[in-house]
Amino acid sequence: ADGDPERGLRRARAAALLMLALPGSAYVYQGEELGLPEVTDLPDEARQDPSFFQENGQDGLRDGCRVPIPWSGTEAPYGFGPEPGGPSWLPQPDEWARLSVEAQTGDPASTLELYRSALALRREHPALGRGDAVEWLDAPEGVLAFRRTAQGPDGAAGFVCTVNTTGGPARLPAPGRVLLSSDGAVVEGGEAVLPADTAVWWTV
């Protein structure tokens, strides 16, 4: 986001929780569950996109989102190819070692574990998996808030999603108990404090 990779990742994590809180099918594009940034500095000699080689074609920048996903290990090809240090069909950045599936597995702060938790909750919580349509709630400027409800085995189940789209913290009445957050949330005396660019799921 505006040359700020950390803010870009926070926004992507919040957007993922927003998308997964909405009714309907959910689609996860390869690598988004790892928080992988698009590779924008591929050398020309590594390019594979046919449009890159056409004089009047597209810009040829599609290769940046086709770089192989890092699975394991500490050096390229990160488990994608047969041997460490061997080439992949497009070069992978060195910093992807900390973003591999292996590196993120078990780390509760990782983007991969955020996706795993969100998808598990989406299957388990009645108001997420088969809830009613979205009911928009009053919220401060720059904050989205909606409720979904459903009848579960123990009666009515409620769920609220709040998303702070502003560049600073936002305060609002806590709608319930925190179920999952993309970047932390604090509840103080019945008031919720949402950090900038954060989505929070609440059970009510």
Side-chain angles (χ1 to χ4, degrees):
D2 304 323
D4 183 345
E6 289 185 12
R7 187 172 191 202
L9 180 59
R10 284 197 314 272
R11 287 178 170 180
R13 287 165 58 97
L17 287 195
L18 172 60
M19 182 267 294
L20 291 171
L22 294 170
S25 300
Y27 296 88
V28 178
Y29 186 74
Q30 68 167 23
E32 98 179 43
E33 77 281 9
L34 299 177
L36 296 178
E38 183 167 347
V39 180
T40 58
D41 58 354
L42 288 169
D44 289 353
E45 60 271 17
R47 298 293 190 91
Q48 305 286 326
D49 186 350
S51 64
F52 177 73
F53 302 99
Q54 298 174 3
E55 284 185 36
N56 297 315
Q58 299 173 5
D59 56 20
L61 298 177
R62 294 179 297 182
D63 284 331
C65 61
R66 295 172 171 171
V67 176
I69 291 175
W71 295 102
S72 60
T74 57
E75 60 181 312
Y78 305 114
F80 187 83
E83 58 187 76
S88 62
W89 77 290
L90 285 168
Q92 300 152 299
D94 292 339
E95 55 271 19
W96 279 18
R98 64 181 179 79
L99 298 176
S100 71
V101 174
E102 181 181 64
Q104 293 195 49
T105 295
D107 177 0
S110 73
T111 300
L112 177 60
E113 293 297 348
L114 176 70
Y115 269 84
R116 286 175 170 166
S117 296
L119 291 170
L121 287 169
R122 197 171 198 263
R123 285 190 298 270
E124 295 165 5
H125 197 288
L128 271 166
R130 54 189 183 278
D132 294 338
V134 168
E135 174 194 352
W136 293 103
L137 305 174
D138 290 335
E141 180 87 19
V143 176
L144 298 173
F146 62 86
R147 177 187 295 118
R148 297 179 64 198
T149 56
Q151 286 298 318
D154 301 320
F159 163 85
V160 169
C161 178
T162 55
V163 185
N164 179 7
T165 67
T166 72
R171 295 177 174 270
L172 65 156
R177 180 177 56 83
V178 174
L179 198 56
L180 186 63
S181 174
S182 66
D183 196 35
V186 177
V187 178
E188 302 169 338
E191 185 178 53
V193 182
L194 279 58
D197 308 309
T198 297
V200 183
W201 288 1
W202 309 82
T203 184
V204 296

